[in-house]
Amino acid sequence: MAMQSTPPSVLREFCPLYYLLNTIPAKVQRGFRSVLVYLTALDSSSDFLAVGSSIGMLYLYCRRLAHMNKYSLEGKCEAITAVKLLSCFDDLVAAGTASGRVAIFQLVSPLPGRNKQLRRFDVVGLHKGSVTALAWSTNGMKLFSGDDKGRVVFSALDLDQGVCKPVLLLEEPSGVVQMEYSHQVLLVSTQQRSLLYCTQTQEVLQLGTKPRKSSGQFGACFLPALCKQSDLQAFAARPGLRLWRSDVRGRVEDTHLLKPLFSSQVPRFELFPRPGSAGAYRPADPQLGLLSCFLREGWILSWNVYSIYVLDYLNKVIVGALESSGDIVSVSCCDNEIFVLKGDRDIIRLSNSPEGLASNYSGARLSDSSCSDSMFVVQDGSCSDGGSGTPLSDRASLVGLDIRGGPDQDQESQDGGSEEGVKEKDRVESGSLLLQGLDSDPSPEAEVVPKTPDVDLLLECTFSYMHNSEEGEGPEQEDEFLSPLIGPEEQEDNDDLAPPTGVSDLMFYSTVSHLDKKPSMSSDEEGDIYCHTPAPAGSRGDVHPSQLTQSKEKTSEGPTDETAQDRDRPDQLAESWMGYSGPGCGILSLQVTDRFVWCLDFKGGLFCSALTEAGLSWQRFEDNVHQMALSPSGNLLWKVEQKCMTAFACAKVSAKGRRHWYEAVDQAAFVALSDDSAWIIRTNGDLFLQTGLSVDRPCARSVKVDTPCVFSQVCVRAGVVWALSEHKALFYREGLNSFCSEGDGWKYDTVSEAQGLELVCVALGDGGTAWALDSSGSLWFRTGICSSRPQGKDDHWWQICISDYVVFDQGSLFQTLLQATQSVATVTRAPVERVVAFLSQYSQCQPSLVSANACGVWVASGRNQLHVARGNLVGTFWQNVVPRGTVSATRWTFITSSSVPHREGTFLWLAQSRKDLFCVWDQDGELRPSSVLLPPEVELTHLSACRDALWGLDTHGRVSIRTLSPSCPTGLHWTLLDLSQLGSIRLVSVSCGSQNVWAVDGQGVVYFRVGTQPLNPSMMLPAWIQIEPPVQPIGVQLVSIQTSPNDRLLWALDNRGSVFVRTGLSDEMPIGTDWELVPGLAVTQLAVSCRTVWVRCVNGALARRYGISQRNPAGDYWKKIPGNANWFTVTPDDDLWAVTLVGGLARRLTKLLPQTTGRPAPTGPALGGDEVDDEWELI
């Protein structure tokens, strides 16, 4: 009864971490003996949970991707006694062992220019005892490690050179308990005293005048603050529940007596009941232990092996406590979470909100600091070793949170602005993965931010850093994991197959001030994940030296079982987009030439950078610019000045120094330049043309050109002129040639209208290619553009997915532009008229966010970032198909495919319901469907096809097989398969390859059988072999399985949307050896070809797995492809067919846009950027 009267704490355990503990084995096999696995160390961040074990294995759980990686320290099997995480430019983790060894891991990142191969550094020979404490510098260049013998070792890391240099720094008479590093000062707490060590002066200062009277596990920590070194303050725990606060010179300024706080009832952390938790030893007098500042100002987390306390020393209260445990191994805190490693293998999460939900306390703390302070932090471009600035990964988050001010934001997020749109939730008992955006409406409690901050500064930062609030999620579908052949009335019978509602793709995209931090989505054991790239068309096999070097470097890591012909297929190429940071406050206009990049920001600043191998180095060129235009050669530059709206021209443009500006035309709203002409849209909507321009004559007399409507944007290149109207209609100019620069007239582009595209900006590139961005942020291109055929040769636009090779939800690039007034007024809490006044100068601006040069296409986002693709690109177009004899209104629900026996092509098996089936040969020009009769009284819920058989699974779990042969390609009759061996087991999914058949039952158990044909019952039937499914939490099980047509690949899907691959498949071992989780996406359907795997995500988006080979069956990364589907299939040769969202039938067509191998000769002095010939560039 006494325990029941104890007041509860605001911090509690919301859910046991079964999902984490189930990924760590309880024992491992070492030779002929089984070894128990104890958990021995713990550290946490918003991205990872690092757990050390007694077998020398480090388990690193990626919280964003729900994926566990294992890192072996190799050599002697010894316990890990300390771990420490760091997220800076690269993700780093350090682990110390019982023998004094320290291992440092530099993790793999999928982002361009980041670490592509797991690297390990070892510190050996300096520690004489067990490592007890680790501390990182902010930038990851310094690691400090302390042991139980009193030694402190400093390891200097140079990740660029791959060098680690350890030296002995200090040697104390007693063991090290805790360490922390800040502002070039190392705080060390030993069992006898606490001291400060300045790494600059090598001065040692003791906290207080003399050591503690009694030794013990007492810690010390710095107070978190953005300050200079002289303002540093430290807390130190003392015996008798005393807390010292000292300055950076070790002088004690305050002593907090905390013993009176324990005289009343102490609030307890509410935990889930656990067996054997009672009866542990409790010391007579509580003591402080290791220290850490936690969540709010004045809150201190203290822990030792017997107890955990969260104290508010300012308000003199105990926030919460965990006592009488006696087996606390390790404690770590981040953001609003405390992770406790207790006993042999129990991990507890304490927080004020469920996992994945930000704390209201962070919103309260957010109001304590002004908006302008955080913005100055964002503008700080340095990340000094001393920690005087905020890390790169933190900056965007500070601005994004300050301008939002909502309670659902997490100020301490280590990801910055990278994952604002999506954040992983906690896992409930069913094992579901819930996702929710961070853009939820702020609660009334959050209205504590001052109503009128520095609005102009806030607006400025808002434009360049406001994140995308669009969720990009499709409608919730309660039967996502059900086959489309299952009717709604059967959902109650298939509850075990139903997914949690609201599941979304695990798609993330980072945007911070330089390069972004993101957890690796490929295995850390793999190297570079870029594919081999074939020589572009017309090169006749010639390879540039840079390509040859790249090919040699990748040979050992590339797929070994793919032929050159396979790699030459357009589908085998994954385009890669690299990111640069913009120069100023957002990007309003972008222009690129072969040697320079020009950007105009929202404040009217015009910036220029040369294209060099070292990246972009921005220089401010002009101010107060409303719009700018550049000729393709870069010889002509026009600007339209703000306020006066007058266009000025200059020639012989150079980034160094300003040239003479000539007044060209007044009242100009938009200008487009070719190398010899200028097209000007006046503020009244009239269109004018100036011709005969050159370096010596940058402007001329204007001639009015008639237009069918008011144009808002024009682009011109190589005798082709395109224009966008105010209502986003696209026009092109006919009749342009060398003798007539004006042309004959305008023609309306029906292609864009037929595809329903609402184009926002268009650009003309080299090689007759036109580029466009639509209002949803999608990138499109058309080819064959020339003066004699200005509309091009394509009868449709080809879509490019703007993404890294890791899938992300792009959303809208133009939210900042299209909804600026409403969005900015909302997030800044500024009067609307202030916002309108700020935006008035941009009201007539037209965004020019896409541009192309000889090297590739460049795209600017509204978040102050440039994206460039310099390699081959694959365009996608989904062609609607209507089989002969059907109408366009026919609604299909299901499609699968199989090879045709002894004939080229593929059979498509289509269904409109559970009671019908049709077959179409894709080589038939008219796609005539033939009806396939189903067995009587049978309603199919699942269908799998291979070259010689069709397997159908009905509503009662029975399997019917239809034999296919060259003489009768669609079969004659169905044969019921004898499933007596399985007893009462009911199958829910089957998949057949060339020889083998795989199945999953209602409990998630996997079965394997050799032979796709039914045999005579009098003969011995092939046996079903039971295969253990992957180890998963209770309530999570496999619901679908897919094998490849050649039996080389096997992938499975569970009811949570997680994907697994079977490893070890071979001719000698057809059942494989193990299951491996493939993270990154929440999936509802799998389709496997002979080469790779395609998936349909929860919102209907499609993605492909790249890098799959015999040596790497899990592949390297997911890549999103344009398009959405209700159901889809892939042929053995990777052709996709899909049932569209409205039930129609569509086929995916692709077009390869090869890299331009030739480069135009520079018209001016050569710069370093002209020497860049690499097909792929790592930024």
Side-chain angles (χ1 to χ4, degrees):
M1 296 298 294
M3 292 299 294
Q4 294 178 357
S5 62
T6 303
S9 170
V10 295
L11 305 174
R12 66 186 180 92
E13 182 183 23
F14 284 87
C15 184
L17 302 182
Y18 296 132
Y19 68 88
L20 173 65
L21 297 174
N22 288 339
T23 60
I24 302 176
K27 56 185 177 180
V28 296
Q29 198 72 23
R30 291 290 170 88
F32 293 101
R33 61 191 182 96
S34 183
V35 179
L36 293 177
V37 178
Y38 302 112
L39 305 185
T40 55
L42 172 74
D43 194 31
S44 64
S45 70
S46 59
D47 293 323
F48 297 100
L49 289 175
V51 182
S53 68
S54 58
I55 60 172
M57 187 71 72
L58 176 64
Y59 297 93
L60 189 64
Y61 183 80
C62 179
R63 304 177 67 185
R64 307 248 177 226
L65 306 179
H67 178 61
M68 177 68 81
N69 283 319
K70 299 182 297 183
Y71 303 95
S72 174
L73 271 60
E74 299 179 358
K76 181 181 177 182
C77 176
E78 53 187 345
I80 295 175
T81 55
V83 292
K84 197 67 176 177
L85 290 162
L86 178 70
S87 294
C88 54
F89 181 75
D90 284 300
D91 292 318
L92 303 169
V93 58
T97 70
S99 67
R101 174 184 172 191
V102 177
I104 304 165
F105 294 93
Q106 182 185 8
L107 305 183
V108 171
S109 172
L111 294 179
R114 304 284 291 277
N115 185 42
K116 289 294 179 289
Q117 186 174 3
L118 179 70
R119 292 201 292 181
R120 192 185 74 204
F121 306 91
D122 289 314
V123 178
V124 293
L126 292 177
H127 285 294
K128 300 303 182 182
S130 175
V131 176
T132 55
L134 296 165
W136 283 104
S137 65
T138 305
N139 60 1
M141 297 177 67
K142 296 178 180 179
L143 175 70
F144 301 90
S145 53
D147 61 30
D148 59 359
K149 301 300 183 184
R151 286 197 165 198
V152 177
V153 174
F154 161 55
S155 302
L157 272 76
D158 188 336
L159 299 178
D160 294 330
Q161 301 296 326
V163 176
C164 175
K165 298 179 179 179
V167 295
L168 181 63
L169 195 68
L170 289 172
E171 192 161 8
E172 285 289 302
S174 60
V176 176
V177 175
Q178 188 177 5
M179 293 193 304
E180 196 166 317
Y181 181 76
S182 180
H183 293 76
Q184 298 181 335
V185 177
L186 178 65
L187 174 61
V188 181
S189 183
T190 69
Q191 293 186 353
Q192 294 182 356
R193 67 170 184 165
S194 297
L195 57 93
L196 295 162
Y197 178 86
C198 180
T199 57
Q200 283 181 317
T201 61
Q202 299 181 356
E203 183 181 12
V204 178
L205 299 170
Q206 179 177 285
L207 268 67
T209 57
K210 51 187 175 180
R212 292 188 290 265
K213 294 180 179 180
S214 59
S215 62
Q217 298 287 322
F218 297 102
C221 68
F222 284 118
L223 273 73
L226 294 174
C227 59
K228 54 182 181 292
Q229 185 187 91
S230 59
D231 295 334
L232 271 179
Q233 291 185 324
F235 276 135
R238 303 289 294 177
L241 294 175
R242 290 178 299 151
L243 187 67
W244 275 358
R245 180 172 63 86
S246 76
D247 61 12
V248 74
R249 303 299 300 173
R251 294 184 291 264
V252 178
E253 298 180 344
D254 286 319
T255 299
H256 297 275
L257 302 178
L258 305 177
K259 195 169 185 177
L261 305 184
F262 291 81
S263 59
S264 58
Q265 285 285 358
V266 177
R268 308 288 180 181
F269 299 133
E270 293 185 17
L271 304 182
F272 274 70
R274 286 169 168 81
S277 59
Y281 168 74
R282 177 180 179 180
D285 297 319
Q287 295 287 350
L288 297 180
L290 280 72
L291 300 181
S292 178
C293 293
F294 174 65
L295 189 58
R296 300 189 66 183
E297 184 180 358
W299 283 23
I300 295 289
L301 168 65
S302 172
W303 70 273
N304 55 34
V305 294
Y306 298 110
S307 58
I308 302 174
Y309 300 112
V310 176
L311 311 166
D312 186 346
Y313 72 90
L314 292 180
N315 297 317
K316 302 297 183 182
V317 295
I318 299 178
V319 179
L322 173 64
E323 295 179 330
S324 301
S325 54
D327 56 354
I328 299 174
V329 179
S330 182
V331 176
S332 174
C333 64
C334 67
D335 303 338
N336 65 323
E337 302 173 304
I338 301 173
F339 291 91
V340 181
L341 175 56
K342 184 173 177 290
D344 294 333
R345 53 180 298 110
D346 190 12
I347 300 178
I348 302 170
R349 176 187 176 271
L350 303 173
S351 181
N352 59 352
S353 62
E355 191 169 9
L357 288 177
S359 164
N360 288 335
Y361 287 94
S362 62
R365 190 170 101 173
L366 180 63
S367 63
D368 296 339
S369 59
S370 67
C371 298
S372 58
D373 291 340
S374 293
M375 288 171 188
F376 286 123
V377 173
V378 173
Q379 294 167 357
D380 177 12
S382 65
C383 184
S384 66
D385 171 61
S388 58
T390 302
L392 295 178
S393 57
D394 293 350
R395 295 182 188 145
S397 64
L398 291 173
V399 166
L401 292 165
D402 276 336
I403 64 176
R404 292 276 170 177
D408 291 331
Q409 304 292 341
D410 194 347
Q411 186 182 15
E412 300 294 329
S413 171
Q414 296 298 316
D415 266 20
S418 57
E419 276 91 24
E420 299 104 298
V422 183
K423 195 156 186 175
E424 186 178 342
K425 300 275 191 195
D426 60 312
R427 303 172 188 278
V428 295
E429 287 78 358
S430 63
S432 63
L433 179 65
L434 304 177
L435 298 170
Q436 174 178 310
L438 294 182
D439 311 273
S440 55
D441 296 333
S443 62
E445 292 83 356
E447 300 293 334
V448 291
V449 178
K451 293 185 178 180
T452 38
D454 188 346
V455 176
D456 293 330
L457 178 61
L458 202 52
L459 291 170
E460 171 186 340
C461 292
T462 301
F463 267 113
S464 52
Y465 293 99
M466 186 191 307
H467 67 261
N468 185 352
S469 65
E470 294 186 8
E471 292 291 324
E473 295 182 8
E476 294 182 356
Q477 301 182 16
E478 296 182 357
D479 57 345
E480 283 287 358
F481 289 87
L482 303 178
S483 166
L485 299 179
I486 300 180
E489 66 274 13
E490 298 181 24
Q491 292 183 15
E492 295 182 1
D493 298 333
N494 292 276
D495 289 340
D496 55 333
L497 303 184
T501 59
V503 180
S504 175
D505 301 284
L506 292 178
M507 301 178 180
F508 303 113
Y509 181 63
S510 300
T511 303
V512 294
S513 55
H514 289 274
L515 285 180
D516 309 322
K517 171 185 64 62
K518 183 162 183 179
S520 170
M521 300 184 72
S522 62
S523 61
D524 287 318
E525 288 75 11
E526 295 302 323
D528 198 317
I529 65 177
Y530 286 106
C531 307
H532 292 282
T533 306
S539 63
R540 296 184 181 180
D542 295 338
V543 182
H544 288 267
S546 59
Q547 294 173 333
L548 183 60
T549 303
Q550 179 184 6
S551 177
K552 290 181 179 179
E553 293 174 351
K554 313 302 180 192
T555 299
S556 61
E557 298 167 355
T560 58
D561 53 356
E562 292 185 1
T563 64
Q565 181 179 0
D566 292 337
R567 294 195 300 268
D568 287 346
R569 288 171 49 87
D571 285 355
Q572 305 306 311
L573 304 176
E575 63 266 18
S576 179
W577 290 80
M578 287 72 73
Y580 293 93
S581 292
C585 188
I587 300 174
L588 181 65
S589 183
L590 167 69
Q591 296 282 333
V592 297
T593 66
D594 293 336
R595 297 189 296 154
F596 293 96
V597 181
W598 296 78
C599 281
L600 177 65
D601 71 4
F602 286 100
K603 295 200 67 176
L606 181 58
F607 298 84
C608 176
S609 172
L611 287 174
T612 65
E613 294 181 355
L616 300 184
S617 177
W618 295 105
Q619 300 179 35
R620 182 179 290 272
F621 193 79
E622 284 287 327
D623 290 314
N624 302 317
V625 178
H626 173 82
Q627 193 254 335
M628 64 98 175
L630 196 68
S631 64
S633 64
N635 289 331
L636 300 178
L637 174 68
W638 282 39
K639 69 170 182 177
V640 178
E641 288 199 344
Q642 293 177 349
K643 299 180 181 179
C644 67
M645 302 301 287
T646 301
F648 294 87
C650 81
K652 297 181 179 178
V653 181
S654 172
K656 296 181 179 179
R658 298 185 180 181
R659 297 295 180 180
H660 180 72
W661 290 99
Y662 301 89
E663 183 174 343
V665 62
D666 59 356
Q667 296 302 309
F670 190 90
V671 178
L673 294 176
S674 70
D675 286 330
D676 60 357
S677 64
W679 295 75
I680 307 108
I681 301 175
R682 302 285 293 274
T683 54
N684 61 2
D686 292 339
L687 179 65
F688 285 83
L689 170 65
Q690 292 187 9
T691 59
L693 306 186
S694 64
V695 172
D696 299 322
R697 191 191 184 206
C699 56
R701 184 175 62 89
S702 300
V703 177
K704 186 177 180 180
V705 179
D706 293 332
T707 59
C709 57
V710 176
F711 288 162
S712 62
Q713 191 176 135
V714 179
C715 59
V716 55
R717 193 184 190 108
V720 179
V721 180
W722 282 21
L724 270 180
S725 73
E726 285 187 323
H727 301 290
K728 309 306 178 187
L730 181 62
F731 294 83
Y732 56 87
R733 188 79 172 169
E734 288 190 322
L736 270 75
N737 52 53
S738 57
F739 303 103
C740 180
S741 301
E742 181 179 344
D744 299 333
W746 295 99
K747 282 292 186 70
Y748 177 61
D749 180 54
T750 58
V751 172
S752 303
E753 181 185 31
Q755 289 185 248
L757 300 182
E758 184 180 347
L759 302 181
V760 174
C761 49
V762 293
L764 299 172
D766 283 348
T769 305
W771 298 90
L773 281 166
D774 66 12
S775 57
S776 65
S778 299
L779 178 65
W780 307 80
F781 74 86
R782 276 157 67 178
T783 60
I785 311 293
C786 60
S787 57
S788 60
R789 196 174 184 177
Q791 74 276 25
K793 65 179 182 180
D794 295 328
D795 56 2
H796 55 260
W797 287 94
W798 299 91
Q799 186 178 358
I800 298 286
C801 200
I802 306 179
S803 71
D804 277 320
Y805 44 81
V806 177
V807 180
F808 72 97
D809 189 6
Q810 175 67 18
S812 172
L813 289 173
F814 311 106
Q815 181 193 13
T816 309
L817 296 173
L818 303 180
Q819 302 175 354
T821 303
Q822 297 85 353
S823 300
V824 176
T826 300
V827 300
T828 60
R829 294 177 174 80
V832 174
E833 56 269 18
R834 290 288 304 276
V835 180
V836 172
F838 182 85
L839 298 176
S840 61
Q841 56 184 317
Y842 309 125
S843 59
Q844 297 181 349
C845 281
Q846 290 300 318
S848 300
L849 303 181
V850 60
S851 186
N853 58 9
C855 301
V857 60
W858 295 66
V859 179
S861 73
R863 295 179 291 185
N864 199 35
Q865 286 235 332
L866 305 176
H867 310 270
V868 55
R870 295 189 172 181
N872 300 308
L873 297 177
V874 178
T876 292
F877 174 70
W878 286 95
Q879 181 185 47
N880 293 322
V881 176
V882 180
R884 184 176 181 180
T886 66
V887 295
S888 58
T890 301
R891 294 295 175 257
W892 305 97
T893 60
F894 175 83
I895 183 172
T896 190
S897 62
S898 66
S899 300
V900 180
H902 304 288
R903 192 165 57 172
E904 64 177 7
T906 302
F907 273 151
L908 303 175
W909 305 89
L910 305 165
Q912 300 181 49
S913 69
R914 298 170 299 163
K915 300 179 180 180
D916 57 46
L917 185 63
F918 299 89
C919 181
V920 174
W921 183 38
D922 68 347
Q923 300 298 310
D924 180 6
E926 297 182 343
L927 294 179
R928 290 180 291 254
S930 59
S931 179
V932 178
L933 293 177
L934 296 182
E937 305 299 325
V938 167
E939 296 182 2
L940 293 182
T941 61
H942 187 85
L943 193 71
S944 179
C946 61
R947 179 180 292 270
D948 58 358
L950 194 63
W951 284 53
L953 190 63
D954 66 15
T955 54
H956 302 290
R958 297 173 300 190
V959 175
S960 299
I961 302 177
R962 190 177 182 92
T963 301
L964 311 179
S965 64
S967 58
C968 189
T970 59
L972 289 175
H973 57 84
W974 295 89
T975 302
L976 191 65
L977 183 64
D978 185 357
L979 295 177
S980 57
Q981 177 196 342
L982 300 180
S984 61
I985 292 173
R986 177 178 173 180
L987 301 181
V988 297
S989 175
V990 294
S991 180
C992 42
S994 60
Q995 297 179 357
N996 305 328
V997 179
W998 295 82
V1000 173
D1001 68 10
Q1003 302 300 317
V1005 179
V1006 180
Y1007 297 89
F1008 168 83
R1009 156 194 160 119
V1010 177
T1012 61
Q1013 297 298 320
L1015 298 181
N1016 191 317
S1018 62
M1019 302 175 61
M1020 182 177 294
L1021 298 177
W1024 288 96
I1025 300 175
Q1026 182 174 326
I1027 307 294
E1028 283 296 321
V1031 178
Q1032 293 180 287
I1034 298 175
V1036 182
Q1037 62 191 34
L1038 298 184
V1039 295
S1040 176
I1041 196 164
Q1042 290 290 326
T1043 183
S1044 63
N1046 56 5
D1047 292 322
R1048 296 300 180 94
L1049 305 175
L1050 181 68
W1051 288 61
L1053 180 67
D1054 68 15
N1055 58 351
R1056 196 177 54 181
S1058 299
V1059 179
F1060 295 85
V1061 60
R1062 187 71 174 172
T1063 60
L1065 290 177
S1066 63
D1067 294 336
E1068 296 77 17
M1069 182 64 71
I1071 63 173
T1073 57
D1074 197 7
W1075 294 100
E1076 181 178 336
L1077 176 68
V1078 181
L1081 295 177
V1083 174
T1084 60
Q1085 185 197 349
L1086 291 168
V1088 184
S1089 68
C1090 291
R1091 299 180 183 87
T1092 188
V1093 175
W1094 305 76
V1095 296
R1096 179 172 60 92
C1097 303
V1098 174
N1099 61 357
L1102 303 178
R1104 176 189 165 167
R1105 190 72 178 173
Y1106 279 86
I1108 293 177
S1109 66
Q1110 186 174 359
R1111 294 189 305 168
N1112 183 22
D1116 292 316
Y1117 57 93
W1118 295 108
K1119 177 69 176 64
K1120 188 177 179 182
I1121 65 170
N1124 293 77
N1126 276 343
W1127 200 260
F1128 81 105
T1129 187
V1130 59
T1131 69
D1133 295 327
D1134 285 315
D1135 291 327
L1136 271 90
W1137 293 75
V1139 176
T1140 65
L1141 298 180
V1142 296
L1145 182 63
R1147 180 180 188 178
R1148 179 183 182 237
L1149 304 179
T1150 60
K1151 185 180 185 68
L1152 176 65
L1153 192 65
Q1155 176 199 19
T1156 305
T1157 56
R1159 188 185 302 267
T1163 55
L1167 297 177
D1170 285 347
E1171 303 302 323
V1172 183
D1173 289 325
D1174 292 335
E1175 181 178 24
W1176 302 101
E1177 180 177 358
L1178 298 181
I1179 307 301

